[in-house]
């Protein structure tokens, strides 16, 4: 980098010599970085690290050993007991019950959809098992008008915000009611109403997007730019962006560049890492050698916390506080690392027992997960019992299956959506391609079956008629 | 010390001031041609005359005669500016008229390494015109996110050679955002990515590239290359306004070299139209950006020597490109040559030539010729044989006419 940079400087020198020498360049404030150190100064005063003190001991900074790894914040222990009674659960029983029901709904949907994929009725699926607390807990701590970017294992965020079972199923089946218009793989949800950007498969690319979006919100929060689209009723004036990603994605260059630019631009953005121990088959020991993802936050000059992802109350409290911090002093980024264990396979295309022991998974399932932990708390509050559990599970199951069958029956979107929305308008080239494809469909009707598509094989006609 | 070797003082003086020529005899040569000097007897490969080229508007009247300009602009004033100033004026106008416009990139705040963002930070504040960390994928990703939330960011990649770290963001994200968002309608169409591109005489491997063909293979992007200050201003303003993400490549050799009369007020030029720069009847040359000047010089020599008449077309927008104008011309002339700096294989020329072959086959009297960069990298001292020059275009006209 440094070589390239100097090469650029050299180019600048060469190209910019003859012109505009008369124009005086104002010395801007951002270039003033202090003066050179004096002989007796305690501090170095190099512009790159202004607060560094001199030392005459040659000592390398060592990464933290396991004994002093960053602590993991929690409110509830594994028995569903509040640890710090003075703080409490920070929730009403009704609210906690809602969160619980949503976690159960998510896990029931996951089980059924995983099975549906195994039966070949869906092309693909990814479950959230073990991470329901992270997505649902964090979403519940945000304002509905906050903007969210997700990776793909955050279905709970959608559920908590009000994405309906029908909307989930429409997307999974890529039917004509899918707001992705049948273009994306299953689980790549998106919703304008819920302020969640559509998921893309490329890992970590959403992290710099979140930084940029947060900058847009920052300008709106401070009134530099008018609100883009009038705020809906009940919307907060000050908003933050929340970005989810796994610990594997955090190895991508986009993670680095995003956190760095978020810190330099001081954007109101909460980066939530789901550290579930695996990126497909790769254990974290092959992913990084530092103290998880949280330890990197300080390197970017970012407020950071590590949270027990199996404790929905801890996640909620952390994200709620992070939101307040993110809006302080005009905005700043906050990093939240939620520790979890990926109980399910990576996806329906993965058999995780090829790289980890079945007993390890069973152990996690049995010993600790966000759903049972909250259930224990609810039972201790006497607002939940086995009978209620049984009813909830069977009714949720029926509800999911109803939505599933409804969605499966629907037609696929019209063929025209294969071509629209690439550019704002159809290009001349596209019109020619549509014409050619339409001609093929007409002349080889027996070769194609578009019965199940809206408008059938004639779906392209509409584009050709549009002038 | 042998008397013939230059003294240490002379050498160190030279090293301190690398722009000062060692030999006084070379003092008169234009700076940018430092490594591309032609032989003493050269008639074709002489330095390009930007001062007199017919491609630039040297008078106010010529500039205002452009029928693409809106009526009120054609009645207005012009002033003589170079290409980087035209870019600066476009950015200034965009910042002035739309509060959603942001301008950022590496070293933007002090004016940019090519002076394109001079004084913008001071006039519009560092909230809207600012430096980013040195990370192309980061700053382009940041721009996409800002655009997806409704802003109109104009991001700068310092050299087109350094756009590749951001390739994933451009190809997989910017280009696909609207499509994958489906009926939610969310998109990052407000995005414009500017980058200086093309040869500059001594840019070697990483200050010379013209990677436009890589972006023309990506559905969802618009790729624009202006050839002059008038175009830079009009096309950049149209790029910032359009609802599609735009890759705006500025030929950096023209930043200072191309000077012409440019309307003072703001105007836009169409993003889907090629421009016929000179009409002719025997052969059509299709090009864009800097090589147009090479083509113009070659055409002047060829018309004189062979008594032919050559039509010159500036594509301007490389993708989606104006097939109609090109095909109409080739159907008339029957011969076509495509000229660009980047490598021939799978370059823009391949697409243009294939389209001509497909849609003007019966009118063709010669194979479509491509004059482009050879299949190699741009080694520092070899640029003069790698980037198409006047001789190669001249020879292509000769061969195509003689076919």
């Amino acid at each position: 980098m440094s070589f390239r940079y100097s090469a650029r400087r050299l180019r600048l020198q060469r190209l910019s010599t003859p012109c505009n020498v008369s124009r005086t360049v104002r010395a801007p404030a951002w270039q003033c970085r202090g003066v050179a150190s004096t002989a007796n100064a305690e501090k170095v005063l190099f512009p790159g690290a202004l607060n560094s003190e001199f030392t005459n001991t040659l000592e390398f900074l060592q990464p933290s050993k396991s004994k002093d790894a960053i602590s993991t914040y929690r409110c509830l222990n594994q028995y569903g007991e509040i640890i710090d009674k003075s703080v409490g659960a920070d929730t009403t029983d009704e609210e906690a019950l809602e969160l619980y029901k949503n976690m159960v709904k998510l896990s029931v949907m996951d089980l059924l959809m995983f099975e549906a994929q195994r039966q070949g009725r869906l092309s693909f699926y990814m479950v959230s098992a073990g991470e329901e607390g992270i997505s649902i807990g964090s979403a519940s701590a945000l304002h509905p008008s906050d903007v969210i970017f997700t990776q793909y294992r955050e279905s709970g965020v959608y559920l908590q915000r009000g994405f309906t079972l029908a909307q989930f199923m429409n997307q999974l089946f890529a039917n004509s009611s899918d707001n992705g218009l049948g273009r994306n793989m299953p689980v790549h949800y998106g919703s304008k109403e819920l302020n969640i950007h559509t998921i893309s498969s490329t890992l970590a690319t959403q992290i710099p997007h979140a930084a940029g979006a947060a900058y847009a919100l920052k300008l709106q929060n401070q009134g530099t730019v008018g609100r883009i689209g009038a705020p809906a009723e009940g919307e907060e004036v000050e908003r933050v962006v929340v970005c989810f990603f796994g610990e594997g994605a955090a190895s991508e260059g986009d993670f680095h560049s995003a956190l760095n630019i978020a810190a330099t631009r001081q954007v109101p953005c909460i980066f939530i890492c789901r550290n579930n121990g695996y990126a497909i088959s790769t254990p974290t020991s092959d992913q990084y050698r530092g103290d998880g993802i949280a330890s990197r936050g300080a390197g970017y000059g970012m407020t950071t916390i590590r949270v027990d992802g199996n404790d929905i109350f801890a996640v909620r409290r952390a994200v709620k506080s992070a939101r307040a911090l993110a809006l302080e002093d005009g905005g700043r980024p906050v990093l939240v690392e939620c520790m979890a264990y990926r109980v399910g396979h990576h996806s329906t295309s993965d058999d995780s027992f090829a790289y980890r022991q079945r007993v390890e998974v069973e152990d996690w399932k049995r010993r600790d997960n966000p759903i049972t932990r909250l259930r224990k708390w609810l039972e201790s509050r006497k607002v939940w019992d086995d009978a209620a559990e049984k009813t909830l599970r069977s009714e949720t199951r029926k509800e999911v299956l109803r939505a599933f069958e409804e969605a499966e029956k629907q037609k696929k979107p019209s063929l025209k959506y294969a071509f629209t929305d690439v550019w704002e308008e159809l290009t001349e080239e596209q019109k020619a391609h549509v014409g050619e494809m339409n001609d093929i469909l007409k002349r080889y009707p027996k070769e194609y079956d578009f019965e199940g598509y809206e408008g059938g094989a004639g779906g392209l006609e509409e584009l050709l008629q549009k002038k | 010390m042998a008397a013939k070797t230059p003294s240490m003082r002379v050498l160190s003086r030279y090293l301190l001031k690398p722009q000062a020529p060692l030999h006084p005899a070379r003092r008169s040569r234009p700076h940018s041609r430092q490594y591309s000097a032609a032989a003493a007897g050269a008639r074709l490969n002489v330095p390009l005359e930007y001062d007199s080229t017919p491609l630039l508007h040297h008078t106010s009247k010529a500039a205002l005669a452009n029928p693409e300009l809106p009526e009120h602009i054609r009645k207005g004033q012009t002033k003589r500016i170079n290409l980087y100033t035209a870019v600066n004026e476009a950015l200034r106008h965009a910042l002035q008229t739309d509060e959603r416009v942001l301008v950022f990139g590496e070293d933007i705040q002090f004016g940019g390494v090519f002076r394109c963002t001079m004084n913008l930070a001071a006039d519009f504040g560092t909230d809207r015109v600012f430096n980013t960390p040195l990370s192309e994928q980061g700053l382009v990703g940041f721009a996409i996110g800002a655009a997806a939330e409704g802003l109109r960011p104009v991001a700068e990649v310092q050299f087109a050679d350094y756009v590749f770290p951001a390739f994933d963001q451009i190809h997989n994200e910017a280009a696909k955002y609207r499509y994958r968002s489906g009926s939610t309608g969310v998109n990052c169409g407000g995005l414009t990515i500017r980058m200086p591109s093309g040869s500059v005489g001594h840019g070697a491997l990483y200050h010379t590239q013209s990677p436009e063909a890589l972006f023309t293979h990506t559905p969802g992007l618009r790729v624009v290359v202006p050839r002059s200050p008038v175009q830079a201003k009009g096309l950049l303003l149209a790029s910032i306004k359009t609802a599609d993400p735009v890759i705006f490549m500025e030929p950096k050799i023209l930043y200072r070299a191309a000077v012409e009369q440019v309307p003072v007020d703001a105007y836009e030029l169409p993003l889907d139209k090629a421009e016929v720069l000179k009409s002719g009847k025997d052969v059509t040359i299709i090009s864009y950006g800097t090589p147009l000047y090479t083509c113009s010089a070659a055409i002047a020599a060829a018309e004189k020597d062979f008594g032919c008449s050559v039509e010159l077309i500036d594509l301007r927008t490389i993708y989606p490109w104006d097939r109609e104008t090109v095909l109409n011309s080739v159907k008339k002339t029957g011969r076509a040559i495509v000229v660009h700096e980047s490598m021939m294989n799978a370059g823009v020329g391949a697409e243009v030539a294939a389209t001509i072959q497909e849609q003007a086959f019966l009118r063709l009297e010669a194979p479509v010729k491509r004059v482009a960069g050879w299949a190699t990298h741009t080694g520092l001292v070899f640029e003069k044989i790698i980037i198409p020059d006047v001789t190669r275009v001249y020879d292509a006209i000769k061969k195509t006419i003689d076919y």
Side-chain angles (χ1 to χ4, degrees), chain B residues 147-162:
Chain B
E149 275 303 311
L151 297 187
R152 308 198 79 81
V154 186
E156 181 184 294
V157 171
Q158 204 160 65
F159 285 84
D161 310 63
Y162 307 131

Side-chain angles (χ1 to χ4, degrees), chain A residues 264-281:
Chain A
T264 59
R265 294 316 299 171
Q266 287 290 287
V267 299
C269 186
I270 309 173
F271 296 100
I272 301 182
C273 177
R274 297 175 291 97
N275 191 335
N276 62 18
Y278 289 93
I280 306 188
S281 75

Side-chain angles (χ1 to χ4, degrees), chain B residues 101-113:
Chain B
V101 172
L102 302 178
V103 174
F104 54 83
E106 296 156 14
D107 304 301
I108 283 301
Q109 225 160 274
F110 88 109
V113 296

Side-chain angles (χ1 to χ4, degrees), chain A residues 304-441:
Chain A
T304 304
I305 192 169
R306 175 175 284 160
V307 183
D308 181 347
N310 280 345
D311 175 354
I312 193 167
F313 290 155
V315 172
R316 270 167 62 85
R317 285 180 60 91
V319 173
K320 210 179 218 175
S321 305
R323 188 179 189 276
L325 285 170
L327 287 170
E328 253 177 30
D329 303 328
R332 76 165 106 146
V334 182
L335 175 61
V336 180
E337 183 183 26
C338 295
M339 309 311 288
Y341 184 84
R342 196 193 78 213
V343 176
H345 300 298
H346 164 71
S347 73
T348 47
S349 313
D350 170 53
D351 174 13
S352 68
F353 301 128
Y355 50 80
R356 62 181 184 182
Q357 297 288 319
R358 196 179 284 265
V359 58
E360 175 189 323
V361 180
E362 290 303 324
D363 201 36
W364 271 102
K365 261 193 205 168
R366 201 175 49 244
R367 246 192 11 224
D368 190 23
N369 80 63
I371 299 180
T372 48
R373 224 196 268 192
L374 182 58
R375 182 179 166 185
K376 285 172 188 165
W377 182 82
L378 289 168
E379 285 174 351
S380 76
R381 304 281 298 173
K382 310 269 184 260
V383 290
W384 200 249
D385 53 33
D386 282 347
E389 177 78 14
K390 217 173 159 187
T391 323
L392 174 68
R393 289 201 175 259
S394 80
E395 281 189 352
T396 308
R397 206 184 146 80
K398 277 183 214 149
E399 229 183 301
V400 173
L401 287 175
R402 230 178 359 251
F404 181 84
E405 277 159 19
E406 237 358 86
E408 199 176 26
K409 271 193 292 207
Q410 281 196 46
K411 288 198 161 192
K412 297 287 174 216
S414 162
L415 287 183
K416 70 178 177 183
Y417 295 123
F419 290 92
T420 55
D421 299 328
V422 179
W423 288 270
E424 190 190 27
E425 304 282 341
L426 221 57
T427 65
E428 290 301 320
E429 180 191 22
Q430 284 189 303
K431 282 178 199 157
H433 289 182
V434 171
E436 244 181 273
M437 190 64 226
N438 198 45
D439 179 52
I440 293 280
L441 293 178

Side-chain angles (χ1 to χ4, degrees), chain B residues 286-298:
Chain B
I286 303 117
S287 189
Y288 51 90
T290 318
L292 286 164
Y293 296 90
T294 313
C295 293
S296 179

Side-chain angles (χ1 to χ4, degrees), chain A residues 1 4-5 7-9 11-20 23 25-26 30-31 147 149 178-181 183-184 190-192 197-200 202 204-206 208-213 215-217 219-220 222 224-226 228 239 252-254 257-258 260-261 264-265 267 417-425 427 429, chain B residues 18-19 31 34-35 82 84 99-100 102 106-107 109-110 112-115 118-119 121-123 126-128 130-139 141-142 144-146 148-151 158-159 162 168-169 172-173 175 177-184 186 200 202 207 218-222 243-244 252 256 319-320 323 351:
Chain A
M1 271 300 180
R4 194 180 83 186
Y5 195 67
R8 293 175 183 186
R9 289 293 186 185
R11 289 270 326 105
L12 159 68
Q13 233 181 15
R14 284 190 176 285
L15 283 176
S16 65
T17 31
C19 223
N20 269 352
R23 182 175 286 174
V25 181
R26 266 165 284 176
W30 60 84
Q31 283 182 351
V147 173
F149 288 84
D178 167 23
N179 63 13
L181 297 174
R183 289 164 182 163
N184 305 305
S191 171
K192 170 86 174 153
H197 285 263
T198 302
I199 294 168
S200 74
T202 43
T205 47
Q206 81 277 15
H209 296 178
Y215 194 68
L217 296 197
L219 296 186
Q220 290 173 38
Q222 70 191 26
T224 309
V225 169
I228 313 253
R239 299 185 292 164
E252 293 280 2
D254 277 324
S257 56
N260 197 32
I261 199 168
T264 59
R265 294 316 299 171
V267 299
Y417 295 123
F419 290 92
T420 55
D421 299 328
V422 179
W423 288 270
E424 190 190 27
E425 304 282 341
T427 65
E429 180 191 22
Chain B
Q19 68 273 31
H31 182 71
Q34 200 172 349
Y35 287 91
N82 62 19
Y84 85 65
E99 61 177 12
R100 297 169 301 168
L102 302 178
E106 296 156 14
D107 304 301
Q109 225 160 274
F110 88 109
V113 296
F114 289 111
R115 318 322 274 148
M118 281 289 280
N119 298 327
D123 293 352
T126 50
D127 273 351
R128 296 182 63 201
F130 54 87
N131 289 338
T132 65
L134 193 53
S135 165
E136 285 76 13
Q137 68 192 105
L139 77 91
F142 185 90
I144 293 170
E149 275 303 311
L151 297 187
Q158 204 160 65
F159 285 84
Y162 307 131
D168 184 36
Q169 284 288 352
N172 275 328
E173 296 294 325
Y177 218 110
R178 186 196 304 274
Y179 190 75
R180 76 157 178 260
S181 297
S183 63
T184 70
V186 179
V200 73
H202 48 268
H207 296 82
T218 303
L221 297 178
R222 288 181 180 274
D244 297 315
K252 57 183 166 290
R256 290 173 187 286
Y319 194 61
R323 289 166 166 72
E351 173 61 22

Side-chain angles (χ1 to χ4, degrees), chain A residues 108-125 164-175 186 396-410 412:
Chain A
V108 169
M109 177 174 84
D110 276 354
L111 274 173
L112 293 172
M113 292 309 109
F114 193 86
E115 207 42 52
Q117 196 283 332
R118 284 289 186 257
Q119 292 171 14
R121 291 164 83 181
L122 285 182
S123 60
F124 180 77
Y125 195 73
T164 64
L165 281 175
Q167 286 174 309
F168 279 113
M169 299 302 143
N170 290 336
Q171 200 286 328
L172 294 172
F173 279 108
N175 65 25
T396 308
R397 206 184 146 80
K398 277 183 214 149
E399 229 183 301
V400 173
L401 287 175
R402 230 178 359 251
F404 181 84
E405 277 159 19
E406 237 358 86
E408 199 176 26
K409 271 193 292 207
Q410 281 196 46
K412 297 287 174 216

